Structure formats: structure tokens, C-alpha cells
Amino acid sequence: MPPAEPVLDPLQVEAAADVRHGEAAADVPDAETAADVPDAETAADVPDAETAAGAPAVETAAGAPAVESEHDLPHVEPEDDVPYVEPEDDVPGDDVPGDDVPGDDVPGDDAPGDDAPAAVPGGARLRSARRRTIAWYAVAGVIIVLLVGALVWPGAPDPAERQVRAFLAAIQRGDVAAAGALAADEPDPSADDSFLRASAPRQRWRITSVRAVPGATGAGETAVDATISTAAARTASYRFTVVRSGAGGWRLRDPYVYLSFGTFPLPYVDVDGHRKALPETAARVARAGTLVLFPGVHRFFASAPDTVTVPRAGYPLMPGTYVLRQPDAPGPDGTPVTLPRTTLTARAQRQAQREVDAYLDACARHRALVTAGCPFGARSVPVPGHPGQVFRGAEVTSVAWAVVRHPVVAVQPDGNEFSVADRRPGLVRLTVTGTDRQTGVHATTTLTCPTRDGALRVEVTDSGGLRIYPEGGRHPGDDLDDQDFRWPTC
């Protein structure tokens, strides 16, 4: 059985503690250094008489506790260069594992005289540095915002730029008078300005950009680049020349579109629903001349009936000279604007077949060897049983035609017209009775002949109907010669 530990009187333990404290204080040079010596809380980690199990028993003499020698007490060297920082309540301590000695945090164990002035807490220094960093970033942010604003924020708009935008905006809303008032000059007098003066419909397009070009021109004028676009992402750009015109401010020099038409199989040209009829001529190509338009997005042949395929989309045009044409079709000089090929719809093709059949049936009712405009005929017919002899002119006493087989046709564009092409030729039967003037032979003969390919044309009427006419006979009064070599086929 282990020997019983001696029971110490509390007064004796307190006296011994005072002795040890006095000895330790003797080793401290001055009060400032003493502030660095661990206080009672830190000294709690040193085993005392009660907690050091297995330590040598303290000898008592005459009822007083035995005091350990100086060599037996732990000696702590003061740290001269490390200021004491009192830990904050909310900062975890740097405790070493295993140092949780009971009574470590009990208040009232501080040694007297340990209330020396402490240095600035580390948390306070951290908060101060954080405030300075935040203030620096705030100032830098304000400076950046001011610089970006100075570079990006638009100043007063350039007067020439403002005029170009106003010009395009007037065209957008269909205000022809306002747009014309911003032009510095009149259009070319040789061009047709009837489309320029027509009331323009409100157009659906947008002004993508308008920007002045500093230094691009001389004194009294400036250049402005502008771009417009459609909803289908078609764009057009142009550099306007804007000139100063006295008290009137800035005006746009020659801001017009000059447009010519190539060949289209319609008897008119059409811009934004406004038509101009082509000259009445028997030629397969007729010109409408040059038209003057304002820039913007324009539609062509929008008024055409639904029996023909025409573009329904708009085309953006900025000032310049253009020629509107079909693919691979010739046209006057200018920047080409190519439209899809204009053709008859499938329904119109079937209608054209019926119209051609009716036209040939009408031709077959004529009682003549040749009828101008009909795609079949004969100059003479042989006399049966008499080689080398023919009936012609007054020798022919009767003529009868009959359509044996109608041609199968396809209608295709050809210059300013639609041409009828035979996919399979038709056949007609000719029955002629005549009397030879020299021999007096009277006979009747019958022939089977093909119809002539390419001799007929198709016109699309305003109502969407189709009219068949012979080549060269489009307009009233066109002279069709019955002696023309095109008609006879027998």
C-alpha cells in the first residue's frame, strides 16, 4: 500500500507560495521585465504540491512546511523582445494539447502587479489594415468609373451625324418631304423621279449605325458612315458626304439610289407596289429607264399576282447606281441586285397548258393555209398522183384543219416575256381540195403536220389570268405578216 500523502494546512501552503514568489521575483531585474514573466494562470501549468503525483514529499519541520530550494524551483528566462499581447476573448488560444489543467481559467489567480500596460491587440491591427484596404479599393473603383465614363459616355452628337440619322429616320417613317429637305441637291434630271415622289410606305428596317469620320473630307464638309439592316440580316452601308449649307445647317450630297431594270417577264416594273409600264414594243426586251429612289429597304414586283414567283423580301439599298436583274440575265451597267428567277407557279403552268390548247383549237377553225399568229400552216400542198404539182393560192378551193394532238408545253421566262416551249410537239391534220390551173386536175389531199415550237408567248394579267399571244403580237396594232416564214409547218 502506497504511503499516505501528508495533509497540509492551507495556511502553510499559502506561506510556501509566498516564499516561492519572493524568490522568483528576486531574479527579475525590474518591473518592466517582470511583466513578461508568466502569471499565475501560465504558472498553473507547473506541477504544484497537490497535482504532482509521485513527486518527493515535502518535509515539515516544527509544523511548518518545508520550502524547496532555489534549484528545485522551475526558472523562467524572461523574453526581452516579445511584447506581451493579451489574447482576445473571441480568438482561440494557442493551447498545447494536454495543458487543460483544472483551475486554469479560474478568475482571481492573477498575481499582483501583473496589470502592466499591454501592446495594441493583433485583432485591432488586422481590422485597421482591412479598413485601409477597403478604402483604397473604393477610391480606385471611383477613379475607374470616372475614366470609363469619360471614354464611353457620348458627348454632344456631331451635327453631320445627326443630319444623316434624321434623313434615314424620315425615310423609315415614310416622310418623303422631310427626307428631301435634308438633301443638298436635286437628283439627276435624266432619271425618272416619279418613284422618288411617290408616297413611301412605312418601312420595316433599322438604322444599325451612324458615325462621323473625322478628317475624311475637306473644309466645309464631313463624311458619315451609316449602315441599315433588315430583319433577315441583310445589310447595306454607305459613306455619306455631308456639306455645310449656310444658315440651313448640314445637308447630304446626292443621297439617291439610281436603279435600272434588266429583263423580267412582266409588262411593267414595280418598286414598293408602284408600277411603271414598259414601252409598247414588239421587241423581246424593253427598258423602263433609270428610276430615282431614296435609300432604304425596297421590295420589287410586290404587286404581281400570285400566279408568278416573285421575291417577297426587301432589299436594302444605299445611295449608288444599281441594276435589278435575274440570274444570268444581261442588264445595263451598275451594281447588280440579283432577284430569284421569275417563273409561273405550278398551278399557273397547268393553266397555261389549257390556254395553249384553246389557242390552237381557235387557230384550227381558220379556213386558210396560213393564219398569222397560228403555229402551223402551209404555203402549198402537193397534188395527189401528180408528182411535182401543188395546189397553191387561188387553186385551193377549201381548207380544213384539225388538231390531232395538243402539244405538251412548259412556260419559261424569256427576256420581258414568258415563252411557250414544247416538251412534246403537237400534231395537226390539214385537208385541202383544189384544182390545178394547167392540167385541170381536181383533187383532195390530206397532210399531218407538227406545231411550231417557240412561236407563242404568255402574258400574266393584273388579275392573275394568262393571255396567249404570238411572238411579236403582244400589243394591239403589232403587225403580224402572214407571209412570215415562222408560221408554215407543213
Side-chain angles (χ1 to χ4, degrees), residues 314-342:
Y315 289 78
L317 300 179
M318 293 293 261
T321 302
Y322 301 87
V323 56
L324 201 69
R325 68 182 188 183
Q326 296 186 96
D328 303 323
D333 294 335
T335 302
V337 178
T338 304
L339 272 59
R341 189 173 298 278
T342 302

Side-chain angles (χ1 to χ4, degrees), residues 61-363:
V67 180
E68 295 178 349
S69 66
E70 178 181 353
H71 300 289
D72 295 330
L73 293 176
H75 177 69
V76 179
E77 286 289 337
E79 296 180 4
D80 297 335
D81 300 331
V82 181
Y84 171 72
V85 178
E86 187 171 357
E88 296 180 10
D89 294 338
D90 56 349
V91 179
D94 297 331
D95 294 339
V96 180
D99 67 347
D100 297 333
V101 180
D104 212 14
D105 299 324
V106 178
D109 289 346
D110 293 342
D114 65 349
D115 294 327
V120 178
R125 291 198 304 271
L126 182 60
R127 285 192 295 271
S128 178
R130 185 181 298 115
R131 291 190 190 100
R132 287 195 300 271
T133 302
I134 292 174
W136 187 92
Y137 277 115
V139 173
V142 171
I143 294 174
I144 291 173
V145 169
L146 292 176
L147 289 175
V148 172
L151 293 174
V152 176
W153 192 266
D158 184 272
E161 179 180 314
R162 185 170 59 248
Q163 290 297 79
V164 171
R165 188 177 293 275
F167 174 74
L168 295 174
I171 298 170
Q172 264 188 320
R173 64 179 182 268
D175 192 343
V176 175
L182 294 173
D185 38 24
E186 294 294 325
D188 185 346
S190 65
D192 181 358
D193 64 354
S194 61
F195 285 75
L196 182 68
R197 305 305 175 192
S199 178
R202 187 178 182 88
Q203 302 186 52
R204 294 184 178 181
W205 48 274
R206 66 190 188 96
I207 304 169
T208 306
S209 66
V210 177
R211 188 177 298 276
V213 185
T217 56
E221 62 181 39
T222 186
V224 177
D225 287 342
T227 300
I228 62 174
S229 62
T230 68
R234 288 182 172 148
T235 63
S237 300
Y238 182 72
R239 175 165 291 184
F240 288 89
T241 298
V242 187
V243 298
R244 190 185 299 276
S245 85
W250 295 87
R251 295 291 183 267
L252 285 66
R253 178 181 294 165
D254 197 20
Y256 305 108
V257 172
Y258 296 92
L259 180 67
S260 299
F261 280 76
T263 57
F264 289 86
L266 296 170
Y268 52 83
V269 295
D270 179 327
V271 181
D272 298 325
H274 301 285
R275 290 186 181 183
K276 179 181 180 180
L278 295 176
E280 293 188 359
T281 174
R284 59 181 293 274
V285 174
R287 301 295 186 193
T290 301
L291 309 180
V292 183
L293 311 172
F294 279 126
V297 177
H298 298 282
R299 295 178 60 193
F300 305 105
F301 299 105
S303 66
D306 58 4
T307 51
V308 295
T309 59
V310 295
R312 304 298 179 184
Y315 289 78
L317 300 179
M318 293 293 261
T321 302
Y322 301 87
V323 56
L324 201 69
R325 68 182 188 183
Q326 296 186 96
D328 303 323
D333 294 335
T335 302
V337 178
T338 304
L339 272 59
R341 189 173 298 278
T342 302
T343 61
L344 293 185
T345 63
R347 180 173 64 85
Q349 290 280 0
R350 293 190 294 271
Q351 181 183 349
Q353 178 69 65
R354 294 191 294 270
E355 296 294 337
V356 169
D357 293 349
Y359 188 87
L360 266 64
D361 290 342
C363 283

Side-chain angles (χ1 to χ4, degrees), residues 13-53:
V13 174
E14 183 177 355
D18 293 339
V19 172
R20 288 194 300 270
H21 181 69
E23 292 176 352
D27 295 332
V28 179
D30 50 32
E32 183 177 351
T33 308
D36 297 333
V37 179
D39 58 8
E41 289 183 13
T42 308
D45 294 339
V46 180
D48 59 9
E50 292 181 354
T51 59

Side-chain angles (χ1 to χ4, degrees), residues 471-483:
E471 181 182 8
R474 185 173 192 169
H475 306 288
D478 288 345
D479 185 18
L480 294 176
D481 186 0
D482 60 3
Q483 300 298 316

